[in-house]
Amino acid sequence: MKQKYDVKGMTCSACQSAVYRAVSKIDSVSDVNVNLMTNTMSVVYDETKLNDNDIIQVVKNAGYDASLQNAKAETKNSTSDAWEEQLKSMKLRLKISIPLTILLMYVSMGHMINMPLPDFLTDTKGAVNFAFTQFLIALPVVIINGSYFTKGFKTLIKRSPNMDSLIAVGSSSSMIYGIFAIYKMSYSLGIGDLNTLHHYHHNLYFESAVMILTLITLGKYFETKSKRKTNEAITSLLDLRPQFAHLVSDDTIKDVSVDDVVVGNILQIKSGESIPVDGIIISGNANIDESAITGESIPVEKSIGDKVIGATINKSGAFEIKVISTGSDTVLSKIIELVKDANATKAPIESMADKIAGVFVPVVMLLAVLTFIVWKALGYDFEFALNLAISVLVISCPCALGLATPVAIMVGSGKGAQNGLLFKNAESLELMQGLDTIVFDKTGTLTQGNPAVTDIILLQDFDKKEFLTLALSLESNSQQPLAQAIVNYSKNFSSNKKVSSFEEISGRGVKGIIDEKSIMAGNIQFMSENNIDIDFFTKYSAQLQEQGKTPVFFAIDNKPASIIAIADIIKNTSKSAIDELKSLNIKTVMLTGDNKKTANYIAENLGIDECYSEVMPDQKDEIITNLKNQGKTVGMVGDGINDSPALARADVGIAVGAGTDIAIESADVVLMKSDLQDVVTAIKLSKQTLKNIKENLFWAFFYNILCIPLAMGIFYPAFKLSLNPMIGSLAMSFSSVFVVSNALRLRNFKADKKVEYVKEQMSLDVNVILINNNKISDRYTVKGTEKINNADNSAENIINTSKSEVNKMKKTMYIEGMTCKHCKARVEKVLNELNGVTATVNLEEKTAVLEMDDNVDNDILKNTVEDAGYDVKNIE
């Protein structure tokens, strides 16, 4: 099983390595991830041989504290409690440490700039008082910051020294030396040895000990405040989750805590409110802003039976939901869990820092000892050698090194969550930037995944409306996807009639009797088998098939009647995404089970480099393997169901979800929307994150490479350059602040999308072509475009139409209540759904310009808009 723990006491990468080594040595533990940034640990172990208490005890034996993470749902308070607890402790320590440090600096160094001191602290008579007063001032600072000493010496004894060990040894060395100096001064004064008294009088190190502790605590305070900012992505989501819900019970409504809501409860959601938990709408309808979860900017229409996600916002309308998940089972909690999982894992580049951190602190302590020995051997006094040794200890704390990678991963994965990108581990966040080949599934990935009618070719012997009534009535009895596409289109123009003698032949078609007319629909084989003349069908369907469209043939009373072409619509952002990937020198490949003609047509239109058609799911896996064998770094983009073998095989598996399917085990990255531009965004975010990690590692290494020789005094003989321990502790502290601040620059990352994604593109224009005596007598486009004429009436050019106005009626409608792009889209949608109406809304002028094939009554137009929630002032 996999369990998560909070770990207290880790302050640097050496701490992280110590905890990792201790837990990974346990038998029955198969995987360990320790995260310094979040102070957490995840462990995979055999629960039949081990329990949580065993793991916690091992962590305690290593010198740290551990506790099992609470499984309850995330709240804003639970996320911020850890940071607030640390900040509160540091504030208290700083409130005591800073004033006493200033006082100590004044007492110890004020006389150097002629600052006045009390008489009992001056000259030879006050020498011991001078030293002992400094000790008394320093003692509270040492006590209040005692955690450095307890943790530092504890890990040192256990032979796993960390940053606290360096601080503890450095600060305690100064304190011990200062106490030793007080004894020497007192003894010297007693025997009249004034030279020794004066020597120690001017070589006290209490201020160094105190300054080290104060400056490091100050640096840690700023570092923790910066760390807290890295959680902004999660906090912003939690801010949307309301604290209370309107519970409907026995015809009454009462406000209850969200924590008290259970599955099966009925909740009321009012306009403008955040939805507290996941549920299904059981009454009413609304427009839901899901941008915080999916990144989708335009609100989504929801009605009875639709699922709603907790933490999304009801923009209009009131409705009731039945609760289907609460607490840690909600989509929001799962998203946060994925982001946390990404933070808890290590990127490959982090292994380098971990290996160095494992030996860094022991090497530093050895260098400090060698520094003292060498300078003492060279004839320098004890104080000088000790000063340099302490400087080596405090300048070398590996905080920046330990934070370089995890802080960037946390900000990067959090920024991804804000943009609807969920990285399931740190490795995928790093690997995305190195992809040179991306393989796409077709259906549901490059295309909408829902077939739609694109063309109707009709013999003029038949009335279009009557034909659509027959087609709708017949196909309503079938559950085949192509039949449903015809039903979805035809129901806009006609209504069902009773079908008798209905029969469906699997893989062929359907037939039945309607109003004493025999009607059949199916493929070309079905027509031949029923002795229908197929010359008409073959003549006009050839180019439709070339364009990747599937023709369904209709016959009425055993005579050819019509061809309805159906196609899976290409997403409006697919072309933009492919173009962007090609600009990044990434090869694109498409895999599909569709026939070769359909696949090639879509691949050519999108500009895809390589296309594989008529492949089965297991063959997709083989193609991915072959690409990897060619030395390619492959990303696979699919829907996470039948593509799961290929997703798992790829270097990075990218699952295209719809915002609620976030538990696709086989993928490494989940796109909350189905917008393929998010693949480009993920690559760019990965590049920025890795660049940031490299910058952080460079400065962390550069800092130590530069400062350790300076602290050791290597430049002292030639240039008289050395490093005071106080300056060293200040530099060390703010190196960590610098690294965290650099990572926070990732918060400025913005997704640069060329096209606004349309979630559902089902209002596709349909080309209608009328045939008379084997020639095209008329053609026009239904829904959203104007009637067209074309001089070339050959069958080969039936799809290529040029538009020109023919007898259009125009009206201008003046509308009040529209305030945003969503309002504009809403009004256009309801008007365009009227038969023969094309509407264009101008949000600034509050108008809608209508073009109609036939005159539509003003009352119908007005009622349509007002039913959508807006006021119509006038129609001209």
Side-chain angles (χ1 to χ4, degrees), residues 362-393:
V363 168
V364 166
M365 300 190 79
L366 179 61
L367 288 175
V369 173
L370 288 175
T371 298
F372 179 83
I373 294 172
V374 169
W375 285 109
K376 197 74 179 72
L378 290 174
Y380 288 83
D381 59 25
F382 179 88
E383 292 79 9
F384 181 82
L386 179 64
N387 197 43
L388 293 182
I390 293 172
S391 295
V392 171
L393 290 172

PDB file of all heavy atoms in Angstrom, residues 362-393:
ATOM      1  N   PRO A 362      29.162  16.127   5.556  1.00  0.00           N
ATOM      2  CA  PRO A 362      30.377  15.539   6.137  1.00  0.00           C
ATOM      3  C   PRO A 362      31.666  16.141   5.553  1.00  0.00           C
ATOM      4  O   PRO A 362      32.630  16.370   6.283  1.00  0.00           O
ATOM      5  CB  PRO A 362      30.260  14.047   5.790  1.00  0.00           C
ATOM      6  CG  PRO A 362      28.798  13.814   5.617  1.00  0.00           C
ATOM      7  CD  PRO A 362      28.268  15.070   5.011  1.00  0.00           C
ATOM      8  N   VAL A 363      31.657  16.391   4.240  1.00  0.00           N
ATOM      9  CA  VAL A 363      32.835  16.988   3.600  1.00  0.00           C
ATOM     10  C   VAL A 363      33.075  18.385   4.138  1.00  0.00           C
ATOM     11  O   VAL A 363      34.225  18.782   4.410  1.00  0.00           O
ATOM     12  CB  VAL A 363      32.662  17.008   2.067  1.00  0.00           C
ATOM     13  CG1 VAL A 363      33.742  17.881   1.413  1.00  0.00           C
ATOM     14  CG2 VAL A 363      32.726  15.594   1.503  1.00  0.00           C
ATOM     15  N   VAL A 364      31.985  19.163   4.307  1.00  0.00           N
ATOM     16  CA  VAL A 364      32.114  20.527   4.835  1.00  0.00           C
ATOM     17  C   VAL A 364      32.705  20.501   6.247  1.00  0.00           C
ATOM     18  O   VAL A 364      33.596  21.299   6.585  1.00  0.00           O
ATOM     19  CB  VAL A 364      30.749  21.239   4.824  1.00  0.00           C
ATOM     20  CG1 VAL A 364      30.789  22.506   5.675  1.00  0.00           C
ATOM     21  CG2 VAL A 364      30.354  21.591   3.401  1.00  0.00           C
ATOM     22  N   MET A 365      32.234  19.586   7.085  1.00  0.00           N
ATOM     23  CA  MET A 365      32.756  19.506   8.453  1.00  0.00           C
ATOM     24  C   MET A 365      34.230  19.122   8.440  1.00  0.00           C
ATOM     25  O   MET A 365      35.027  19.636   9.243  1.00  0.00           O
ATOM     26  CB  MET A 365      31.925  18.506   9.259  1.00  0.00           C
ATOM     27  CG  MET A 365      30.453  18.899   9.354  1.00  0.00           C
ATOM     28  SD  MET A 365      29.509  17.919  10.526  1.00  0.00           S
ATOM     29  CE  MET A 365      29.976  18.689  12.062  1.00  0.00           C
ATOM     30  N   LEU A 366      34.600  18.249   7.527  1.00  0.00           N
ATOM     31  CA  LEU A 366      36.001  17.877   7.393  1.00  0.00           C
ATOM     32  C   LEU A 366      36.838  19.077   6.938  1.00  0.00           C
ATOM     33  O   LEU A 366      37.939  19.321   7.455  1.00  0.00           O
ATOM     34  CB  LEU A 366      36.141  16.720   6.393  1.00  0.00           C
ATOM     35  CG  LEU A 366      37.571  16.222   6.128  1.00  0.00           C
ATOM     36  CD1 LEU A 366      38.193  15.686   7.423  1.00  0.00           C
ATOM     37  CD2 LEU A 366      37.566  15.141   5.052  1.00  0.00           C
ATOM     38  N   LEU A 367      36.290  19.858   5.981  1.00  0.00           N
ATOM     39  CA  LEU A 367      36.996  21.053   5.504  1.00  0.00           C
ATOM     40  C   LEU A 367      37.167  22.075   6.633  1.00  0.00           C
ATOM     41  O   LEU A 367      38.209  22.753   6.715  1.00  0.00           O
ATOM     42  CB  LEU A 367      36.231  21.689   4.339  1.00  0.00           C
ATOM     43  CG  LEU A 367      36.263  20.937   3.005  1.00  0.00           C
ATOM     44  CD1 LEU A 367      35.363  21.634   1.987  1.00  0.00           C
ATOM     45  CD2 LEU A 367      37.690  20.852   2.468  1.00  0.00           C
ATOM     46  N   ALA A 368      36.148  22.197   7.492  1.00  0.00           N
ATOM     47  CA  ALA A 368      36.240  23.139   8.608  1.00  0.00           C
ATOM     48  C   ALA A 368      37.365  22.729   9.576  1.00  0.00           C
ATOM     49  O   ALA A 368      38.143  23.568  10.039  1.00  0.00           O
ATOM     50  CB  ALA A 368      34.907  23.208   9.336  1.00  0.00           C
ATOM     51  N   VAL A 369      37.435  21.421   9.865  1.00  0.00           N
ATOM     52  CA  VAL A 369      38.493  20.920  10.753  1.00  0.00           C
ATOM     53  C   VAL A 369      39.868  21.146  10.116  1.00  0.00           C
ATOM     54  O   VAL A 369      40.816  21.606  10.776  1.00  0.00           O
ATOM     55  CB  VAL A 369      38.276  19.422  11.055  1.00  0.00           C
ATOM     56  CG1 VAL A 369      39.468  18.855  11.829  1.00  0.00           C
ATOM     57  CG2 VAL A 369      36.984  19.228  11.847  1.00  0.00           C
ATOM     58  N   LEU A 370      39.967  20.833   8.815  1.00  0.00           N
ATOM     59  CA  LEU A 370      41.242  21.016   8.113  1.00  0.00           C
ATOM     60  C   LEU A 370      41.636  22.489   8.081  1.00  0.00           C
ATOM     61  O   LEU A 370      42.826  22.829   8.205  1.00  0.00           O
ATOM     62  CB  LEU A 370      41.142  20.471   6.681  1.00  0.00           C
ATOM     63  CG  LEU A 370      41.098  18.945   6.534  1.00  0.00           C
ATOM     64  CD1 LEU A 370      40.865  18.547   5.091  1.00  0.00           C
ATOM     65  CD2 LEU A 370      42.416  18.335   7.047  1.00  0.00           C
ATOM     66  N   THR A 371      40.641  23.355   7.898  1.00  0.00           N
ATOM     67  CA  THR A 371      40.920  24.805   7.881  1.00  0.00           C
ATOM     68  C   THR A 371      41.536  25.246   9.206  1.00  0.00           C
ATOM     69  O   THR A 371      42.550  25.975   9.233  1.00  0.00           O
ATOM     70  CB  THR A 371      39.610  25.586   7.620  1.00  0.00           C
ATOM     71  OG1 THR A 371      39.106  25.227   6.346  1.00  0.00           O
ATOM     72  CG2 THR A 371      39.863  27.089   7.660  1.00  0.00           C
ATOM     73  N   PHE A 372      40.939  24.789  10.279  1.00  0.00           N
ATOM     74  CA  PHE A 372      41.474  25.149  11.604  1.00  0.00           C
ATOM     75  C   PHE A 372      42.894  24.627  11.780  1.00  0.00           C
ATOM     76  O   PHE A 372      43.806  25.349  12.210  1.00  0.00           O
ATOM     77  CB  PHE A 372      40.552  24.581  12.695  1.00  0.00           C
ATOM     78  CG  PHE A 372      41.032  24.868  14.087  1.00  0.00           C
ATOM     79  CD1 PHE A 372      40.757  26.084  14.690  1.00  0.00           C
ATOM     80  CD2 PHE A 372      41.784  23.926  14.792  1.00  0.00           C
ATOM     81  CE1 PHE A 372      41.202  26.348  15.975  1.00  0.00           C
ATOM     82  CE2 PHE A 372      42.239  24.189  16.069  1.00  0.00           C
ATOM     83  CZ  PHE A 372      41.939  25.411  16.669  1.00  0.00           C
ATOM     84  N   ILE A 373      43.097  23.352  11.436  1.00  0.00           N
ATOM     85  CA  ILE A 373      44.414  22.723  11.630  1.00  0.00           C
ATOM     86  C   ILE A 373      45.481  23.416  10.788  1.00  0.00           C
ATOM     87  O   ILE A 373      46.595  23.717  11.266  1.00  0.00           O
ATOM     88  CB  ILE A 373      44.349  21.216  11.297  1.00  0.00           C
ATOM     89  CG1 ILE A 373      43.449  20.494  12.322  1.00  0.00           C
ATOM     90  CG2 ILE A 373      45.741  20.597  11.272  1.00  0.00           C
ATOM     91  CD1 ILE A 373      43.173  19.045  11.957  1.00  0.00           C
ATOM     92  N   VAL A 374      45.183  23.670   9.517  1.00  0.00           N
ATOM     93  CA  VAL A 374      46.176  24.263   8.604  1.00  0.00           C
ATOM     94  C   VAL A 374      46.598  25.649   9.061  1.00  0.00           C
ATOM     95  O   VAL A 374      47.795  25.968   9.132  1.00  0.00           O
ATOM     96  CB  VAL A 374      45.624  24.300   7.162  1.00  0.00           C
ATOM     97  CG1 VAL A 374      46.526  25.147   6.265  1.00  0.00           C
ATOM     98  CG2 VAL A 374      45.511  22.892   6.602  1.00  0.00           C
ATOM     99  N   TRP A 375      45.588  26.508   9.383  1.00  0.00           N
ATOM    100  CA  TRP A 375      45.935  27.871   9.774  1.00  0.00           C
ATOM    101  C   TRP A 375      46.649  27.905  11.124  1.00  0.00           C
ATOM    102  O   TRP A 375      47.542  28.741  11.338  1.00  0.00           O
ATOM    103  CB  TRP A 375      44.674  28.748   9.816  1.00  0.00           C
ATOM    104  CG  TRP A 375      44.195  29.113   8.439  1.00  0.00           C
ATOM    105  CD1 TRP A 375      43.089  28.645   7.819  1.00  0.00           C
ATOM    106  CD2 TRP A 375      44.837  29.993   7.518  1.00  0.00           C
ATOM    107  NE1 TRP A 375      42.985  29.175   6.562  1.00  0.00           N
ATOM    108  CE2 TRP A 375      44.062  30.017   6.346  1.00  0.00           C
ATOM    109  CE3 TRP A 375      46.008  30.762   7.570  1.00  0.00           C
ATOM    110  CZ2 TRP A 375      44.394  30.772   5.245  1.00  0.00           C
ATOM    111  CZ3 TRP A 375      46.347  31.526   6.461  1.00  0.00           C
ATOM    112  CH2 TRP A 375      45.545  31.526   5.302  1.00  0.00           C
ATOM    113  N   LYS A 376      46.308  26.996  12.002  1.00  0.00           N
ATOM    114  CA  LYS A 376      47.019  26.934  13.282  1.00  0.00           C
ATOM    115  C   LYS A 376      48.453  26.463  13.059  1.00  0.00           C
ATOM    116  O   LYS A 376      49.401  26.975  13.681  1.00  0.00           O
ATOM    117  CB  LYS A 376      46.275  25.962  14.218  1.00  0.00           C
ATOM    118  CG  LYS A 376      46.652  26.122  15.689  1.00  0.00           C
ATOM    119  CD  LYS A 376      46.047  27.379  16.265  1.00  0.00           C
ATOM    120  CE  LYS A 376      46.398  27.528  17.736  1.00  0.00           C
ATOM    121  NZ  LYS A 376      47.800  27.878  17.977  1.00  0.00           N
ATOM    122  N   ALA A 377      48.594  25.493  12.110  1.00  0.00           N
ATOM    123  CA  ALA A 377      49.939  24.983  11.807  1.00  0.00           C
ATOM    124  C   ALA A 377      50.799  26.032  11.143  1.00  0.00           C
ATOM    125  O   ALA A 377      52.039  26.012  11.270  1.00  0.00           O
ATOM    126  CB  ALA A 377      49.835  23.744  10.921  1.00  0.00           C
ATOM    127  N   LEU A 378      50.158  26.966  10.429  1.00  0.00           N
ATOM    128  CA  LEU A 378      50.905  28.024   9.751  1.00  0.00           C
ATOM    129  C   LEU A 378      51.318  29.144  10.705  1.00  0.00           C
ATOM    130  O   LEU A 378      51.951  30.121  10.288  1.00  0.00           O
ATOM    131  CB  LEU A 378      50.060  28.620   8.608  1.00  0.00           C
ATOM    132  CG  LEU A 378      49.835  27.698   7.393  1.00  0.00           C
ATOM    133  CD1 LEU A 378      48.865  28.343   6.407  1.00  0.00           C
ATOM    134  CD2 LEU A 378      51.165  27.392   6.705  1.00  0.00           C
ATOM    135  N   GLY A 379      50.949  28.995  11.969  1.00  0.00           N
ATOM    136  CA  GLY A 379      51.401  29.947  12.969  1.00  0.00           C
ATOM    137  C   GLY A 379      50.407  31.017  13.329  1.00  0.00           C
ATOM    138  O   GLY A 379      50.708  31.918  14.127  1.00  0.00           O
ATOM    139  N   TYR A 380      49.215  30.959  12.752  1.00  0.00           N
ATOM    140  CA  TYR A 380      48.192  31.948  13.095  1.00  0.00           C
ATOM    141  C   TYR A 380      47.585  31.588  14.451  1.00  0.00           C
ATOM    142  O   TYR A 380      47.597  30.436  14.865  1.00  0.00           O
ATOM    143  CB  TYR A 380      47.117  32.004  12.015  1.00  0.00           C
ATOM    144  CG  TYR A 380      47.623  32.655  10.733  1.00  0.00           C
ATOM    145  CD1 TYR A 380      48.346  31.910   9.799  1.00  0.00           C
ATOM    146  CD2 TYR A 380      47.380  34.000  10.472  1.00  0.00           C
ATOM    147  CE1 TYR A 380      48.802  32.492   8.629  1.00  0.00           C
ATOM    148  CE2 TYR A 380      47.851  34.591   9.307  1.00  0.00           C
ATOM    149  CZ  TYR A 380      48.557  33.839   8.380  1.00  0.00           C
ATOM    150  OH  TYR A 380      49.017  34.428   7.242  1.00  0.00           O
ATOM    151  N   ASP A 381      47.008  32.606  15.128  1.00  0.00           N
ATOM    152  CA  ASP A 381      46.501  32.351  16.475  1.00  0.00           C
ATOM    153  C   ASP A 381      45.211  31.537  16.448  1.00  0.00           C
ATOM    154  O   ASP A 381      44.580  31.345  15.414  1.00  0.00           O
ATOM    155  CB  ASP A 381      46.298  33.663  17.247  1.00  0.00           C
ATOM    156  CG  ASP A 381      45.323  34.616  16.570  1.00  0.00           C
ATOM    157  OD1 ASP A 381      44.462  34.132  15.813  1.00  0.00           O
ATOM    158  OD2 ASP A 381      45.418  35.843  16.797  1.00  0.00           O
ATOM    159  N   PHE A 382      44.851  31.070  17.604  1.00  0.00           N
ATOM    160  CA  PHE A 382      43.700  30.187  17.768  1.00  0.00           C
ATOM    161  C   PHE A 382      42.412  30.853  17.278  1.00  0.00           C
ATOM    162  O   PHE A 382      41.595  30.223  16.601  1.00  0.00           O
ATOM    163  CB  PHE A 382      43.578  29.816  19.253  1.00  0.00           C
ATOM    164  CG  PHE A 382      42.410  28.929  19.562  1.00  0.00           C
ATOM    165  CD1 PHE A 382      42.532  27.540  19.484  1.00  0.00           C
ATOM    166  CD2 PHE A 382      41.174  29.470  19.941  1.00  0.00           C
ATOM    167  CE1 PHE A 382      41.453  26.722  19.782  1.00  0.00           C
ATOM    168  CE2 PHE A 382      40.100  28.654  20.228  1.00  0.00           C
ATOM    169  CZ  PHE A 382      40.243  27.269  20.154  1.00  0.00           C
ATOM    170  N   GLU A 383      42.254  32.138  17.624  1.00  0.00           N
ATOM    171  CA  GLU A 383      41.028  32.841  17.281  1.00  0.00           C
ATOM    172  C   GLU A 383      40.855  32.967  15.775  1.00  0.00           C
ATOM    173  O   GLU A 383      39.757  32.798  15.233  1.00  0.00           O
ATOM    174  CB  GLU A 383      41.012  34.239  17.919  1.00  0.00           C
ATOM    175  CG  GLU A 383      40.900  34.239  19.418  1.00  0.00           C
ATOM    176  CD  GLU A 383      42.244  33.949  20.087  1.00  0.00           C
ATOM    177  OE1 GLU A 383      43.270  33.916  19.371  1.00  0.00           O
ATOM    178  OE2 GLU A 383      42.269  33.731  21.313  1.00  0.00           O
ATOM    179  N   PHE A 384      41.938  33.247  15.071  1.00  0.00           N
ATOM    180  CA  PHE A 384      41.868  33.399  13.612  1.00  0.00           C
ATOM    181  C   PHE A 384      41.464  32.084  12.949  1.00  0.00           C
ATOM    182  O   PHE A 384      40.598  32.031  12.072  1.00  0.00           O
ATOM    183  CB  PHE A 384      43.229  33.869  13.075  1.00  0.00           C
ATOM    184  CG  PHE A 384      43.248  34.076  11.583  1.00  0.00           C
ATOM    185  CD1 PHE A 384      42.759  35.256  11.026  1.00  0.00           C
ATOM    186  CD2 PHE A 384      43.749  33.102  10.732  1.00  0.00           C
ATOM    187  CE1 PHE A 384      42.775  35.448   9.658  1.00  0.00           C
ATOM    188  CE2 PHE A 384      43.753  33.277   9.364  1.00  0.00           C
ATOM    189  CZ  PHE A 384      43.275  34.462   8.824  1.00  0.00           C
ATOM    190  N   ALA A 385      42.125  31.001  13.403  1.00  0.00           N
ATOM    191  CA  ALA A 385      41.829  29.679  12.831  1.00  0.00           C
ATOM    192  C   ALA A 385      40.385  29.275  13.125  1.00  0.00           C
ATOM    193  O   ALA A 385      39.679  28.724  12.266  1.00  0.00           O
ATOM    194  CB  ALA A 385      42.801  28.646  13.379  1.00  0.00           C
ATOM    195  N   LEU A 386      39.928  29.530  14.364  1.00  0.00           N
ATOM    196  CA  LEU A 386      38.554  29.198  14.731  1.00  0.00           C
ATOM    197  C   LEU A 386      37.566  30.030  13.927  1.00  0.00           C
ATOM    198  O   LEU A 386      36.524  29.514  13.475  1.00  0.00           O
ATOM    199  CB  LEU A 386      38.353  29.458  16.230  1.00  0.00           C
ATOM    200  CG  LEU A 386      36.936  29.181  16.769  1.00  0.00           C
ATOM    201  CD1 LEU A 386      36.596  27.705  16.625  1.00  0.00           C
ATOM    202  CD2 LEU A 386      36.836  29.619  18.234  1.00  0.00           C
ATOM    203  N   ASN A 387      37.878  31.305  13.723  1.00  0.00           N
ATOM    204  CA  ASN A 387      37.011  32.196  12.956  1.00  0.00           C
ATOM    205  C   ASN A 387      36.771  31.653  11.545  1.00  0.00           C
ATOM    206  O   ASN A 387      35.649  31.610  11.054  1.00  0.00           O
ATOM    207  CB  ASN A 387      37.659  33.579  12.897  1.00  0.00           C
ATOM    208  CG  ASN A 387      36.652  34.654  12.501  1.00  0.00           C
ATOM    209  OD1 ASN A 387      35.534  34.683  12.975  1.00  0.00           O
ATOM    210  ND2 ASN A 387      37.080  35.534  11.605  1.00  0.00           N
ATOM    211  N   LEU A 388      37.843  31.218  10.891  1.00  0.00           N
ATOM    212  CA  LEU A 388      37.725  30.686   9.533  1.00  0.00           C
ATOM    213  C   LEU A 388      36.981  29.350   9.517  1.00  0.00           C
ATOM    214  O   LEU A 388      36.183  29.082   8.624  1.00  0.00           O
ATOM    215  CB  LEU A 388      39.108  30.524   8.900  1.00  0.00           C
ATOM    216  CG  LEU A 388      39.876  31.828   8.619  1.00  0.00           C
ATOM    217  CD1 LEU A 388      41.204  31.522   7.947  1.00  0.00           C
ATOM    218  CD2 LEU A 388      39.064  32.767   7.732  1.00  0.00           C
ATOM    219  N   ALA A 389      37.237  28.509  10.514  1.00  0.00           N
ATOM    220  CA  ALA A 389      36.556  27.213  10.571  1.00  0.00           C
ATOM    221  C   ALA A 389      35.050  27.400  10.727  1.00  0.00           C
ATOM    222  O   ALA A 389      34.250  26.719  10.069  1.00  0.00           O
ATOM    223  CB  ALA A 389      37.110  26.388  11.732  1.00  0.00           C
ATOM    224  N   ILE A 390      34.651  28.328  11.595  1.00  0.00           N
ATOM    225  CA  ILE A 390      33.224  28.611  11.783  1.00  0.00           C
ATOM    226  C   ILE A 390      32.620  29.186  10.505  1.00  0.00           C
ATOM    227  O   ILE A 390      31.491  28.850  10.121  1.00  0.00           O
ATOM    228  CB  ILE A 390      33.016  29.568  12.975  1.00  0.00           C
ATOM    229  CG1 ILE A 390      33.410  28.870  14.283  1.00  0.00           C
ATOM    230  CG2 ILE A 390      31.571  30.051  13.043  1.00  0.00           C
ATOM    231  CD1 ILE A 390      33.415  29.787  15.484  1.00  0.00           C
ATOM    232  N   SER A 391      33.373  30.038   9.816  1.00  0.00           N
ATOM    233  CA  SER A 391      32.898  30.613   8.555  1.00  0.00           C
ATOM    234  C   SER A 391      32.617  29.526   7.529  1.00  0.00           C
ATOM    235  O   SER A 391      31.614  29.566   6.802  1.00  0.00           O
ATOM    236  CB  SER A 391      33.930  31.601   7.988  1.00  0.00           C
ATOM    237  OG  SER A 391      34.072  32.712   8.829  1.00  0.00           O
ATOM    238  N   VAL A 392      33.481  28.517   7.459  1.00  0.00           N
ATOM    239  CA  VAL A 392      33.271  27.398   6.529  1.00  0.00           C
ATOM    240  C   VAL A 392      31.972  26.662   6.868  1.00  0.00           C
ATOM    241  O   VAL A 392      31.188  26.306   5.986  1.00  0.00           O
ATOM    242  CB  VAL A 392      34.464  26.420   6.568  1.00  0.00           C
ATOM    243  CG1 VAL A 392      34.151  25.155   5.771  1.00  0.00           C
ATOM    244  CG2 VAL A 392      35.722  27.079   6.030  1.00  0.00           C
ATOM    245  N   LEU A 393      31.746  26.463   8.161  1.00  0.00           N
ATOM    246  CA  LEU A 393      30.544  25.741   8.583  1.00  0.00           C
ATOM    247  C   LEU A 393      29.263  26.479   8.200  1.00  0.00           C
ATOM    248  O   LEU A 393      28.323  25.889   7.659  1.00  0.00           O
ATOM    249  CB  LEU A 393      30.575  25.509  10.092  1.00  0.00           C
ATOM    250  CG  LEU A 393      31.609  24.507  10.618  1.00  0.00           C
ATOM    251  CD1 LEU A 393      31.642  24.539  12.137  1.00  0.00           C
ATOM    252  CD2 LEU A 393      31.281  23.094  10.124  1.00  0.00           C
TER     253      LEU A 393
END
